[in-house]
Structure formats: structure tokens, C-alpha cells
DNA sequence: TGGGCTTGCGCC
DNA sequence: AAAGGGCGCAAGCCCA
């Protein structure tokens, strides 16, 4: 049963489904929530990110919620309107404000109870109410997990991190100074180019310098430089790689983001149009392999690292009802299954071809093998082609559970219409939008599967009565991969949970569709030792 | 000096 | 090897 949590000038009110209200002081909320949690309610509140941290800090964990802000954003996407704002003002702040505290929004949020009523009506009126309700529940469960993972943090050894920085860059330099290894590499580049000073940190100036030295480059991209045969390229590429490590995940990053052996990023559920999460600060979803040796389980604990194998092609197989592709994915390696089906000759062709089909690749190897994939897996390929054509026509597309792509930018529709008097469906802009919608249906539905997986793992792992950090708990989530920090005597149970939750997510979304969602699991001390 | 833009690159 | 989709972030650069 739902319990609405709402802010009142005189405190916080809990509203039961029959409309009865219980008014409590804001500081009594954790105790009240803990007591009612025994009934396994769904807590309905404006914004998990605003309400839940204080509860967690007080040691109170909740099983289920409905996040009005996140669900409104989904509904707004369906309706083609701007999401409501000002939710933050409804948080349990001590001044009782109902307005956004930063003054950015003059529109007061509705009361949580009214917004809940509106959303229930809206969900029920949807053509696929069960799917949309599932999406709302999964999105909200993700919001809980995001706050919990922020609170517990990812185990991070500052000593290991510092050691690997020192090993590759040299000792930590004074603030603003260049590490010894970078200085040496920059000097080596200048020696080998032999044109005097090289502005190695400025891409445009670097391109000009390289051209002065007789190298035919048009950009400073590593991918382009790699194709050039010149002795200065090797130290230059090494410089770029180490410089990136230093600026993005060097000592400054370590100082700013790692405290008490934990990295605590802020996850942003629903932060990407497709429904994927984004992150805010610390680059949490782009942790480079170079620093993963610093992600180390506590003594007596393990990292259980789980990765959904070839998630997106499997999602496409299930979405499109492509039985042949489902068969190809019967085992853990779908790409090998595609080779075994005879569609293509090598695993690399299978992989590049499928990625091209889902991303809209039009050149090179992916385009070459696409016709063969289309013959072998006609429904899968037709599904993404249809999504691309819809986008080119300016139509919006939907994920399985109903998340809807935005309308094309005005520039796209107007620029074309002004020339021909009708919408452009063939120009470069239309094709680019088609690539977006093509990918949206697959990436977005994969994000829904991943949320269902995450929610299942969270629910199955949790043992009530002991603190979250004392039992196996989620510490990291990135699109199709989960890490559980786990006492070593619980790794077997945790692995089983990760696998069974994946199968359950498949059933939740796709029912009895014959598509499997295998998970590769590594049990390691260090993240860098996980296969993947 | 600070904001916004571009470039480049890390991840999935 | 790169290309196609989605991001966040740091640095350089331009302009007010």
C-alpha cells in the first residue's frame, strides 16, 4: 500500500491510502518510516534524492518508493512537455519552504498527494498501463539504489591509486607543475620533431606544429595520429594517455573524490534521454581501466563483478521477436552464436555488424556485413530500420516500457521545411536523427532491463535487520554492469542472486520470449582483475 | 575574470 | 582501424 510523504509548514505528514493523515515533526520521520516499513509500503514522495539520504543516515532503509519527480519526467516525455520543476523545494528542509530554494523556479510544486493522484490517473489511462507502472517502479527502485550506493561508496584504495600514479607519472609534483614522466615525454616529442617548442597541450596549436614538421594531420586526435608513421608519434600518444590520466584521475581527483577509502559519486537516475543513468562529479561512469587497480575490496570481503553479456543485441532480439537471433544468444557468447548460425564468418564481423545495425553505422566493415545479418535476422534488423525511418520522418519512438524519445529539434524540422515546404526526411540532419531514434529503442529498453536487474538484485540481497554496509550491498552500476561488495562467505549467494535477477528481469520485460540474459560474474579482490 | 564553446578522450 | 548511439569532464580558446 502506498504512503504519501508530504511537507507541511508544521512538519511532515504521512497520508495513507484511505486519506488519513499523520502529522509528525520532521526529525521524527526516520522513526516513523522505520515503524511503517514493517508493512512493506510503497513510499510516495517528491524526490528520492531529497528525502532518502536523511533516512539512510539515520539507519532507515526503505524497500519501495514512487519518485514523483522521476515519474513525472517519464510522463512528460510521453506527453511531449517539459517536466515539472521545483520539486527540490518540497524536501524536508528546515525552513519549511515549498519553493525552490535557489530561486530558479517560481512555480510551486503541487502537493505530493495531488501529484500522486494525477500520476495514478495518468498511468492508468496509458494504453499499456502495466508496462508504464513497471517502468515507474523500476525507475524509483533505481533512485533508492543510487542514494544507497552514494552513501556506502565504492571501496577505493587511495594508497594503491597514489602508487599507480607514481609508477606511471613519477612522484606527485607541486600544484600546477607537470609530472616528471610528462615532462620527459614532452621533451622527447620536441627532440624528435626538431622544430623547437611544441605546444603539446593545445590541440589546434599542436596540429599547426605537426604540419610545420611535415606531418599531414588535420586534427590532434589519437586515432588520426596513430596512422602517421613518424618517430615523434609514439611519445606523443604516450604523453596524451598519461596526461589524460593526470588531469582526469590524478592526485587532484583522488583528493577531491576519495574519502575514508570510498569513492562516493552522485548518480543521476534517468539523467540520459534514453533512461540510462548519468553521474554528477567524479566521472563515475567513465572510470578508466588505468585506475581500476585502486578499486579494492575490504579485508575479508570481495567484489562480485557482474556484466550482462551482449545486452543490447539480446534486447533487440527480444524486442523484435527475432527467434533466430534468440537462438544465436542461447549461450553466453551471442556473437559466437551468430557465427555458428552461418550468418557471418568471424566473431569480429558479428560484433561490428550488430553494433553498426544498432548505432546506424554506414561505412566500413559494419555496412559490409549488414546485408548478411539482415538475411539471417530479418526481424531484428527490420526493427531498428523501422525506428530509424520513424526518426527520419520526425516521429517519436518508444522503448518497450514506454519511455518516449523527444521530438526532433526545431532546427531539424524548420531548416528543411523552409527550403522545400515539407519536412526533410532524407538530408543529413534527418539521417542523424534517425540514428538517434534507431539507437534509442535499443539503448532505452536495455536501460529498462538493467533497472529491473538492479532492482531485483537490491531486493534479493537485502537482509533486514543488519546495516547495509555490513551485508552484501551494491556499490557500483554502469549501464550493464553491477558490483556488489560482499563478505567472502556470501559470494556464492551473491553470484546466484546476480544471475537469477537477470533472468527475472528478462521475464518481467519480455515474458516468455525465448531470449536469455546471461551474466558473466567475476569474484575478485580488485576490480581490474574482473574479466570483462 | 568568467561564461560558453570546441576539442579530445574516458566509459558503456 | 574506424564508425555508428549515449554520456561527463578538463583544457584551451574566444569574447564580453
Amino acid at each position: 500500500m502506498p504512503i504519501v510523504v508530504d511537507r507541511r509548514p508544521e512538519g511532515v505528514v504521512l497520508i495513507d491510502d484511505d486519506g488519513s493523515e499523520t502529522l509528525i515533526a520532521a526529525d521524527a520521520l526516520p522513526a516513523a518510516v522505520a515503524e511503517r516499513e514493517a508493512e512493506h509500503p510503497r513510499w510516495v514522495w517528491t524526490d528520492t534524492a531529497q528525502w532518502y539520504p536523511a533516512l539512510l543516515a539515520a539507519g532507515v532503509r526503505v524497500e519501495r518508493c514512487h519518485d514523483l519527480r522521476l515519474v513525472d519526467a517519464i510522463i512528460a516525455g510521453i506527453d511531449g512537455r517539459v517536466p515539472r520543476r521545483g520539486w527540490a523545494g518540497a524536501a524536508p528542509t528546515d525552513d519549511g519552504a515549498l519553493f525552490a530554494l535557489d530561486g530558479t523556479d517560481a512555480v510551486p510544486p503541487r502537493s505530493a498527494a495531488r501529484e500522486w493522484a494525477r500520476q495514478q490517473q495518468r498511468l492508468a489511462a496509458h494504453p499499456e498501463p502495466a508496462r508504464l507502472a513497471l517502468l515507474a517502479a523500476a525507475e524509483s527502485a533505481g533512485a533508492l539504489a543510487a542514494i544507497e550506493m552514494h552513501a556506502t561508496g565504492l571501496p577505493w584504495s587511495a594508497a594503491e591509486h597514489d602508487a599507480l600514479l607514481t609508477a606511471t607519472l613519477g612522484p606527485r609534483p607541486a600544484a600546477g607543475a607537470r609530472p616528471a614522466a610528462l615532462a620527459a615525454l614532452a621533451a622527447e616529442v620536441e627532440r624528435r620533431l626538431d622544430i623547437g617548442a611544441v605546444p603539446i597541450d593545445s590541440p589546434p596549436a599542436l596540429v599547426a606544429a605537426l604540419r610545420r614538421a611535415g606531418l599531414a594531420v588535420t586534427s590532434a586526435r589519437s586515432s588520426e595520429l596513430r596512422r602517421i608513421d613518424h618517430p615523434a608519434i609514439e611519445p606523443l600518444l604516450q604523453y596524451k594517455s598519461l596526461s589524460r590520466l593526470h588531469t582526469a584521475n590524478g592526485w587532484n581527483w583522488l583528493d577531491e573524490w576519495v574519502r575514508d577509502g570510498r569513492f562516493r559519486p552522485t548518480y543521476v537516475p534517468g539523467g540520459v534521454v534514453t533512461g540510462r543513468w548519468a553521474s554528477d562529479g567524479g566521472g563515475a561512469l567513465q572510470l578508466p581501466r588505468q585506475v581500476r587497480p585502486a578499486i579494492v575490496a575490504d579485508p575479508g570481503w570481495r567484489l562480485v563483478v557482474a556484466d550482462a553479456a551482449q545486452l543490447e543485441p539480446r534486447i533487440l532480439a527480444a524486442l523484435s521477436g527475432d527467434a533466430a537471433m534468440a537462438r544465436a544468444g542461447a549461450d553466453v557468447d551471442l556473437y559466437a552464436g551468430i557465427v555458428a548460425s552461418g550468418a557471418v564468418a568471424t566473431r569480429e564481423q558479428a560484433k561490428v555488424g550488430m553494433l553498426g545495425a544498432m548505432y546506424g553505422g554506414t561505412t566500413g566493415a559494419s555496412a559490409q556485413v549488414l546485408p548478411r545479418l539482415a538475411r539471417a535476422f530479418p526481424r531484428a534488423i527490420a526493427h531498428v530500420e523501422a525506428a530509424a525511418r520513424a526518426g527520419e520522418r520526425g516521429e517519436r519512438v518508444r522503448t518497450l516500457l514506454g519511455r518516449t524519445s523527444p521530438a526532433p529539434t526545431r532546427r531539424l524540422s524548420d531548416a528543411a521545411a523552409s527550403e522545400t515546404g515539407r519536412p526533410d526526411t532524407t538530408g543529413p540532419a534527418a539521417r542523424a536523427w534517425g540514428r538517434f531514434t534507431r539507437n534509442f529503442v535499443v539503448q532505452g529498453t536495455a536501460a529498462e532491463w538493467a533497472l529491473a536487474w538492479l532492482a531485483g538484485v537490491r531486493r534479493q540481497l537485502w537482509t533486514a535487520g543488519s546495516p547495509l554496509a555490513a551485508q552484501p550491498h551494491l556499490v557500483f552500476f554502469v549501464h550493464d554492469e553491477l558490483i556488489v561488495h560482499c563478505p567472502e562467505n556470501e559470494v556464492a549467494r551473491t553470484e546466484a542472486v546476480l544471475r537469477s535477477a537477470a533472468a527475472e528481469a528478462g521475464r518481467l520485460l519480455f515474458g516468455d520470449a525465448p531470449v536469455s540474459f546471461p551474466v558473466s560474474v567475476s569474484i575478485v579482490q580488485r576490480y581490474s582483475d574482473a574479466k570483462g
Side-chain angles (χ1 to χ4, degrees), chain A residues 6-23:
Chain A
D6 210 352
R7 180 78 189 167
R8 292 281 168 78
E10 60 273 26
V12 176
V13 65
L14 306 185
I15 309 169
D16 280 277
D17 222 26
D18 62 4
S20 62
E21 300 190 354
T22 311
L23 184 68

Side-chain angles (χ1 to χ4, degrees), chain A residues 260-322:
Chain A
D260 305 321
R262 294 292 186 269
F263 170 43
R264 295 189 171 82
T266 298
Y267 295 98
V268 186
V272 178
V273 277
T274 58
R276 274 186 174 181
W277 287 13
S279 66
D280 185 12
L285 305 186
Q286 306 126 254
L287 292 177
R289 292 184 185 281
Q290 280 168 306
V291 301
R292 294 187 183 185
I295 302 170
V296 186
D298 288 351
W301 289 59
R302 294 288 185 274
L303 300 175
V304 184
V305 181
D307 180 288
Q310 307 99 35
L311 177 59
E312 294 196 345
R314 291 172 193 279
I315 290 292
L316 176 57
L319 260 185
S320 63
D322 193 307

Side-chain angles (χ1 to χ4, degrees), chain A residues 4-66:
Chain A
V4 178
V5 183
D6 210 352
R7 180 78 189 167
R8 292 281 168 78
E10 60 273 26
V12 176
V13 65
L14 306 185
I15 309 169
D16 280 277
D17 222 26
D18 62 4
S20 62
E21 300 190 354
T22 311
L23 184 68
I24 52 179
D27 59 7
L29 184 63
V33 168
E35 188 192 329
R36 299 295 300 275
E37 183 66 14
E39 307 156 19
H40 307 284
R42 184 176 300 281
W43 296 97
V44 179
W45 51 39
T46 48
D47 186 348
T48 305
Q50 293 290 328
W51 288 93
Y52 195 33
L55 295 176
L56 261 190
V60 177
R61 191 162 184 248
V62 312
E63 192 176 319
R64 300 189 298 165
C65 79
H66 177 101

Side-chain angles (χ1 to χ4, degrees), chain A residues 64 67 221 306 333 355 433 451 460 482:
Chain A
R64 300 189 298 165
D67 187 303
R221 286 191 186 90
D333 188 346
L355 289 177
W433 198 257
L451 278 178
Q460 289 187 47
L482 288 173

Side-chain angles (χ1 to χ4, degrees), chain A residues 76-89:
Chain A
I78 294 171
D79 294 346
R81 63 169 167 82
V82 174
R84 289 166 205 279
R85 297 185 302 160
W87 302 105

Side-chain angles (χ1 to χ4, degrees), chain A residues 236-257:
Chain A
L236 176 55
L237 290 173
Q238 209 181 342
Y239 177 91
K240 287 166 83 77
S241 170
L242 292 186
S243 173
R244 166 92 190 170
L245 172 65
H246 178 235
T247 56
N249 294 99
W251 289 280
N252 291 342
W253 183 93
L254 189 53
D255 287 347
E256 186 174 354
W257 292 105

